[in-house]
């Protein structure tokens, strides 16, 4: 199984572009999954440079409904529509990912209508879904770790128009159940990386973790939250920790003490069994 980072905040290669967002391309043999789409068409341009035909993805999975993970979807749809005879791709996300979301008087949520998604056979699920024999969409994450999943970000609007503080309950991730343990790929970890890891272990009935890849939502965190996260991750015996996107430099320095931190960059490809 291979994971290639197509969008992240950092790139070291002059032919690849970075932006404040996330997208990962997961290849399990002939089965392909695109997790998130960043904020623009950068993921498509990077994929072209890397010679990855991501339009052939079996699934597009959205980790949650924020702009920096979903606004690239319209460019993916436009390219699918422009090319006839292409393999169908299914779209999977939590129902709340479609809710209108705002922060600081600006729109930060999903920007497409349901009718625009029909080319991707959209599916909404708060429950776990096996994408194939080894890749699992984790569904709504149970928030059991005491220090995690307590913060809100902006507001969400319920279908009846009611506005409320947004705990980002649509946040989810993907787990790969490999021969040597789990690989967990997450977008932003708003629900807490400890909670995500616990759910992946529980659903996959596997304690070993080969890697955690993705955003950890540690951007200017409270010192006590960062300390608790590092302490918790130290108990998890993680192989590779690839702290992407919404993980700031101070948080990476703290995480580096664990001894397993992999520097993230657009174009990074990691392989696992």
């Amino acid at each position: 199984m291979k994971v290639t980072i197509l969008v992240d905040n950092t790139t070291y290669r002059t032919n690849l572009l970075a932006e404040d967002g996330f997208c990962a391309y997961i290849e399990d043999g002939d089965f392909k999954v695109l997790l998130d789409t960043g904020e623009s068409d950068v993921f498509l341009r990077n994929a072209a440079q890397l010679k990855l035909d991501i339009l052939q993805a079996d699934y597009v999975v959205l980790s949650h409904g924020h702009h920096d993970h979903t606004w690239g979807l319209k460019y993916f749809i436009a390219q699918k529509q422009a090319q006839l005879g292409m393999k169908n791709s299914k779209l999977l996300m939590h129902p709340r990912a479609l809710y209108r979301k705002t922060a600081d008087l600006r729109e930060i949520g999903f920007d497409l209508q349901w009718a625009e998604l029909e080319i991707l056979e959209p599916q909404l699920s708060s429950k776990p879904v096996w994408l194939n024999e080894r890749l699992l969409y984790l569904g709504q994450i149970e928030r059991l770790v005491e220090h995690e999943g307590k913060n809100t970000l902006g507001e969400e609007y319920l279908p009846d128009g009611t506005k409320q503080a947004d705990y980002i309950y649509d946040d989810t991730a993907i787990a790969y159940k490999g021969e040597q343990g789990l690989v967990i790929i997450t977008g932003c970890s708003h629900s807490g990386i400890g909670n995500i890891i616990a759910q992946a272990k529980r659903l996959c009935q596997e304690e070993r973790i080969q890697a955690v890849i993705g955003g950890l939502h540690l951007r200017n965190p409270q010192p006590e939250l960062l300390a608790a996260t590092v302490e918790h991750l130290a108990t998890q015996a993680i192989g590779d920790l690839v702290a992407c996107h919404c993980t700031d430099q101070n948080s990476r320095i703290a995480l580096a003490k664990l001894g397993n931190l992999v520097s993230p960059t657009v174009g990074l490809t990691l392989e696992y069994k």
Side-chain angles (χ1 to χ4, degrees), residues 144-162:
L144 304 176
V145 177
E146 184 176 354
H147 65 271
E148 292 186 332
K150 304 293 194 299
N151 296 330
T152 63
L153 198 164
E155 305 82 28
E156 68 173 353
Y157 292 75
L158 303 182
D160 65 3
T162 304

Side-chain angles (χ1 to χ4, degrees), residues 230 234 238-241 252-262:
V230 173
I238 299 167
D240 295 332
L241 178 59
R252 288 197 179 101
I253 291 170
L255 291 165
K257 298 173 185 176
L258 299 175
N260 58 348
L261 194 67
V262 177

Side-chain angles (χ1 to χ4, degrees), residues 69-87:
H69 297 258
T70 66
W71 282 8
L73 186 61
K74 56 181 166 288
Y75 302 101
F76 184 86
I77 290 173
Q79 287 210 16
K80 292 281 279 190
Q81 291 173 327
Q83 299 188 36
L84 298 177
M86 185 167 292
K87 178 170 68 175

Side-chain angles (χ1 to χ4, degrees), residues 14-25:
T14 56
N15 65 329
L16 299 177
L17 301 171
E19 69 177 4
D20 186 8
F22 187 72
C23 173
Y25 190 52

Side-chain angles (χ1 to χ4, degrees), residues 167-178:
Y167 286 89
I168 311 108
Y169 288 122
D170 47 315
D171 181 69
T172 189
I174 288 175
Y176 169 77
K177 187 175 182 179

Side-chain angles (χ1 to χ4, degrees), residues 153-271:
L153 198 164
E155 305 82 28
E156 68 173 353
Y157 292 75
L158 303 182
D160 65 3
T162 304
K163 181 175 73 171
Q164 63 185 22
D166 190 3
Y167 286 89
I168 311 108
Y169 288 122
D170 47 315
D171 181 69
T172 189
I174 288 175
Y176 169 77
K177 187 175 182 179
E179 296 174 7
Q180 299 176 5
L182 300 177
V183 178
I184 298 167
I185 310 107
T186 179
C188 249
S189 305
H190 288 284
S191 54
I193 190 58
N195 287 318
I196 290 170
I197 290 171
Q199 184 142 326
K201 285 182 172 183
R202 184 171 62 254
L203 293 174
C204 295
Q205 298 183 327
E206 172 63 75
E207 290 295 315
R208 298 170 301 164
I209 307 174
Q210 298 190 68
V212 172
I213 303 166
L216 302 184
H217 197 53
L218 293 173
R219 181 176 283 168
N220 300 318
Q222 294 294 322
E224 56 271 20
L225 173 60
L226 178 57
T229 300
V230 173
E231 182 179 355
H232 184 80
L233 291 177
T235 69
Q236 299 300 305
I238 299 167
D240 295 332
L241 178 59
V242 190
C244 304
H245 177 41
C246 51
T247 313
D248 64 23
Q249 190 64 16
N250 287 335
S251 297
R252 288 197 179 101
I253 291 170
L255 291 165
K257 298 173 185 176
L258 299 175
N260 58 348
L261 194 67
V262 177
S263 182
T265 179
V266 175
L268 175 67
T269 297
L270 299 148
E271 297 191 32

Side-chain angles (χ1 to χ4, degrees), residues 55 57-60 73-92 112-123:
L55 294 179
D58 296 274
Y59 270 94
V60 178
L73 186 61
K74 56 181 166 288
Y75 302 101
F76 184 86
I77 290 173
Q79 287 210 16
K80 292 281 279 190
Q81 291 173 327
Q83 299 188 36
L84 298 177
M86 185 167 292
K87 178 170 68 175
N88 290 338
S89 300
K90 297 179 181 179
L91 175 65
L92 178 59
L112 294 172
Q113 299 300 313
W114 184 259
E116 298 174 277
L117 305 177
E118 290 180 350
I119 188 175
L120 297 182
E121 302 180 31
Q123 177 184 356

